[in-house]
Every structure is written in structure tokens, then in C-alpha cells.
Amino acid sequence: MRVAFLLSGHYTGGCSGRITPRYGFFGGVVGDEVGQYPKGSENREPRENMTGPTSGRVTEYYFIVPDGGDAHVLLVPENGRWTLPHAPADSRHAWHETAHVNRAANKALGLRATTRRCACADMDPGSPVEERVYVVENHASTWTLPVTARWIDAHDVTGLQMATPGVTRVLEEWFSWVHAADTSLRPPWYAAGWMNAAGGWIVEQLAHLDVKPAGPIEQVRSWQKSCVLRLPTARGNAYFKAVPAVLGTEVSVSVLLDHEYPGMVPEVLAADNERRWLLMRDMGSATLDGVPDGEQWREAVRAYSQLQVGMVDQTRRFAVAGCPNRGLLQLVESIDRLLADTVAMKPGDPSGLTVREIHALHVRARALKIAAHRLGTLRLPVSVDHGDFWAGQIVVGDANPVFIDWSDACLSHPFFSMAFFADEESMRPYLPSAADARDSLRDTYLEPWTVYEPHDVLTQARTIACALAPLSAALKYHDRI
């Protein structure tokens, strides 16, 4: 998520000894993404990188297949020219979901592929075909190069005639990325070889737990915010998640959450704080965004509110675990700094704010500060704010809701969490009765907080907090990146 998008106010966790799985770590990727990290369960990228299912465009996957040192890339002939290997998509998917990409690469090239990164979400936005480019890594122990294919290096790119417009530019960007001097912000899983290390760690941790793998490791997604893998075991699916340094506190915070609130958050099987790795038990596949039942929505909101109230007395422990403090004072002190960064608002860009919107924000700066000060005068304590709380982050469990993906968690005003559930337009695609449910969801959430303030005061506080929530989220990413 970028600052401009957030400022716009739109929301649209018995085998001993050495294990050698007969499938290999990455023996094949099958099935759609299900379980603890269902489709859409993490923050979405800016809208220009997402093409909806009603766009009318078909999708073609193009594959950058580098050699072992990333010095060469595979090209194939097409109509007397050259292009990247490619294959049609089987169905519509978000660009950072990778199981279908790996499946297509395996079928087209005979690989055992995992995706390192999406190099380009759309090579030619004006084309009727959405051409996505993915960098894949081949884990096959033996592989036969297609007879007509060739390897090229950076010096060959401009001298070749390409059959597909945009390939030259994408390859130039790829080799520039490979040779970049500054890689400090690059997620580790974008590097070749990282996936094998992660797979080895997963199998090692399961061996310590005496859990036998029941299939190959399957890659669920790869993007800037995380790499997620899934491994079926004799005791159900296990999920692995790696996060970048800017979200690294998720590991220690998730461990603390599981310790204090078991059954309400993902169960952590293993963790590596240094590498920012988590191994978690699958908590279920059904999420609230697929359950258009107002009563279940109210149950989830009630459980989350009670969880936050319980966390009030634990804020010191969350602070020690690394949960960042993003309270109202920090918000007020950061407003001017954020609004002074016009570049971050991307004026003139389709994904950014218009000049008029930027001007309106400057005009409202004083009102925003007053609103934050007013909210701070109430007797509402700081608690843990999930940071990206919406229906897709709630697994509808057999016993109780389970709240997943705490990568954006912080110590802040608790009511910031309710922005999605206060927005009828955001809820309507998932809950057709959103107009009727909005007030009951509000009252359900506020009831546990009446130990601090009366209901009418809480109602006003929630209205203010939900208006400030996009600003708080924008500041969070502005400070991190």
C-alpha cells in the first residue's frame, strides 16, 4: 500500500532424524490458495496493479528464467523473433498469488518452479492481453533446455528483435535490478537459493515436532510484504511466512499473541526472529469475507473488541516484543511531516492524489489535529490495533473467530481497527445487508468498552477514530518505507 492510496480513504500458524521427502521440497504446486492465508488476506497492492475479473482482458504469464548466477535469461523463438517463454493463465488471480504461476511454468517448460518475484504486473496496459512477467527459479535436479531456446545476457538485449512489445524494456529492467548497487530494501526471498533454505528450515522444524510431511511444499504467494508457503502434513497443513525487516516485529508479536490468546490467533509452531520466519498451524480456510451472515460478523467484531480490551493490560509486554507505538500524540506530531512530502502523494499519477485532494488535505490539517486531540481527551486506553483489520483477516473457526496476519500491528487507539466495519461501501461486496448491519456492528464492538466511557461518548469516539484511521495507516507506511 502506498501513502497516496491510504490517504484517499478507500478500503476496497513423528518423524525423527533426517527427512528426505520423496516429493522434494518443491515437487509441484497444486490447487488454489486455501487455508490460513486465503485469497486477499493480506494488504492489497495499489489498484493499478490489480486487474479485476470483469475487465474483459485475458492474462498471459511470461517467465524470466535466469541461470544460476542471474547473468543470463532464457529466450524462445516466436514468429522469427525472440520472446520470453509464456503460457496462458488458467483463471483470474491477484498478481502476487503464485501457485498458478508455478503450475503454468511447470507445464510450459518442464520445470519445478517457484516464483521469486513479479517483475511486471502488465507489460502493455493498452493491450487486450494482460501480460504479467514473473521471475521463476527452477528446482528440478535435471532439466532439458528447449532445443530452440537460447541464453542471453544484458549485452544481447538491445540487439535482438522481440516478438512481444515490452519484453526489451522488461529485460533491461531485470538486468538493471540484478546489478543494482543498493539492495537494502530487497526482500530476501527475491534471491535465488533462498527458497531451498526456507524449505530446509520448515522440514527441520517439523522433525523437531515429530510431524511428518504429507506432500511437497507449495508456494502460496511472493510479494514485497511476505513470502508464504504451505506444507501438508500428517496433522494438517502448516504455513510458513517470511516478512521483510520493516515488518519484522510480526514474528515476536505473533509468538506473544499465541502465548496469551491461544485459539484466537494463529498457533505458532516455530519462529526465527533473526530471519523473520514463522511456521504456523493452519487455522482454517473459511474467512468472514465469504460468509454473508450478519450474526457471524457481529460475533467476530464482539470477539475482537473483547480481545482488545484484554490487551490493554498487556501493552507493556507488546512494547517489549517490538510492537511499535503509533498513538495519537505520534499521529499529531507527524501530520505536517507527511503533508510536506508531496512526492509520496504522487500528484498526477492515476494511483495518487489529485492536486485538489492534496490542497484539501493541507486545508484540513488543523482540523485533523483537533480531532486527534479531542479523541485523546477521552478515557480510552491504548491497546493493540491489528493495523489491517477487515473481514478477510478473520477465519471463521468451529469454536470462535481466529484473527490472522498481524504484520501491521501497533500500539495505538483501538478504534482505528474499526474503519472497514464502519464503511458501508467497503462491507457491501461481502455483506449485502451492510446498510442494516453497520449500526449493530458498531454497538456490538463498543459494548465491551463501556467500562471506560458511556455508549454515546464511545459512538462519537468511533466516528472520529474511523475518520483518522486512513491517516494513521498512511503515516505508518510513510515512516517505514
Side-chain angles (χ1 to χ4, degrees), residues 60-121:
E60 189 83 4
Y61 299 142
Y62 286 75
F63 308 110
I64 294 178
V65 184
D67 62 5
D70 285 348
H72 299 84
V73 168
L74 191 71
L75 291 187
V76 295
E78 186 171 282
N79 299 326
R81 300 186 178 187
W82 295 95
T83 190
L84 291 168
H86 57 97
D90 56 2
S91 58
R92 298 292 309 179
H93 298 276
W95 64 268
H96 58 304
E97 294 174 355
T98 55
H100 52 97
V101 176
N102 300 333
R103 185 165 53 240
N106 294 346
K107 183 177 180 180
L109 295 168
L111 306 177
R112 282 170 48 196
T114 57
T115 298
R116 290 167 58 182
R117 58 183 285 253
C118 178
C120 182

Side-chain angles (χ1 to χ4, degrees), residues 106 109-113 138-146:
N106 294 346
L109 295 168
L111 306 177
R112 282 170 48 196
N138 183 17
H139 301 275
S141 56
T142 59
W143 178 59
T144 303
L145 186 73

Side-chain angles (χ1 to χ4, degrees), residues 88-404:
D90 56 2
S91 58
R92 298 292 309 179
H93 298 276
W95 64 268
H96 58 304
E97 294 174 355
T98 55
H100 52 97
V101 176
N102 300 333
R103 185 165 53 240
N106 294 346
K107 183 177 180 180
L109 295 168
L111 306 177
R112 282 170 48 196
T114 57
T115 298
R116 290 167 58 182
R117 58 183 285 253
C118 178
C120 182
D122 197 348
M123 277 200 296
D124 185 4
S127 166
V129 178
E130 181 187 36
E131 299 165 329
R132 299 183 186 176
V133 184
Y134 292 90
V135 182
V136 299
E137 181 174 6
N138 183 17
H139 301 275
S141 56
T142 59
W143 178 59
T144 303
L145 186 73
V147 176
T148 56
R150 62 172 290 186
W151 293 103
I152 67 160
D153 61 22
H155 301 292
D156 298 324
V157 174
T158 56
L160 294 174
Q161 288 189 316
M162 299 296 179
T164 309
V167 167
T168 297
R169 173 181 57 81
V170 166
L171 287 174
E172 289 174 340
E173 291 173 353
W174 159 252
F175 284 115
S176 176
W177 183 88
V178 168
H179 299 296
D182 183 8
T183 61
S184 59
L185 295 179
R186 189 172 296 177
W189 50 89
Y190 283 4
W194 180 92
M195 199 69 70
N196 285 332
W201 182 83
I202 293 170
V203 173
E204 180 183 354
Q205 300 309 309
L206 290 177
H208 292 327
L209 298 169
D210 196 26
V211 177
K212 293 183 180 181
I217 295 175
E218 305 164 350
Q219 185 185 35
V220 176
R221 63 170 53 104
S222 176
W223 63 325
Q224 299 93 328
K225 290 194 65 178
S226 67
C227 180
V228 178
L229 311 175
R230 177 178 59 238
L231 176 63
T233 79
R235 301 182 190 176
N237 286 335
Y239 277 85
F240 166 92
K241 184 178 184 181
V243 294
V246 294
L247 301 176
T249 58
E250 179 179 3
V251 177
S252 55
V253 169
S254 295
V255 171
L256 178 57
L257 283 165
D258 182 34
H259 181 268
E260 294 296 323
Y261 310 101
M264 298 190 70
V265 295
E267 178 184 343
V268 177
L269 302 175
D272 186 325
N273 274 298
E274 183 177 350
R275 289 186 286 191
R276 302 179 296 278
W277 291 357
L278 278 168
L279 186 63
M280 298 169 283
R281 184 173 69 85
D282 181 9
M283 304 304 289
S285 60
T287 50
L288 193 63
D289 57 324
V291 182
D293 179 350
E295 183 54 38
Q296 290 204 50
W297 282 57
R298 284 187 289 275
E299 178 185 346
V301 166
R302 180 184 299 109
Y304 180 76
S305 179
Q306 292 169 342
L307 182 65
Q308 282 188 303
V309 171
M311 288 173 172
V312 168
D313 293 332
Q314 301 290 335
T315 53
R316 182 177 178 82
R317 297 189 65 188
F318 279 98
V320 172
C323 197
N325 185 358
R326 302 189 183 279
L328 293 171
L329 180 60
Q330 287 79 8
L331 186 149
V332 170
E333 292 176 343
S334 301
I335 288 176
D336 290 338
R337 173 167 49 82
L338 175 62
L339 297 185
D341 190 354
T342 304
V343 174
M345 302 183 199
K346 304 178 67 178
D349 190 292
S351 66
L353 301 183
T354 66
V355 173
R356 184 174 182 177
E357 288 171 330
I358 294 173
H359 175 72
L361 277 173
H362 282 278
V363 171
R364 293 188 60 197
R366 183 171 180 272
L368 291 169
K369 294 176 185 178
I370 292 173
H373 279 298
R374 181 182 177 191
L375 196 57
T377 63
L378 304 179
R379 293 174 297 177
L380 288 168
V382 168
S383 186
V384 178
D385 169 28
H386 180 280
D388 182 34
F389 192 59
W390 71 288
Q393 303 285 34
I394 306 171
V395 174
V396 183
D398 294 333
N400 54 261
V402 178
F403 307 106
I404 65 173

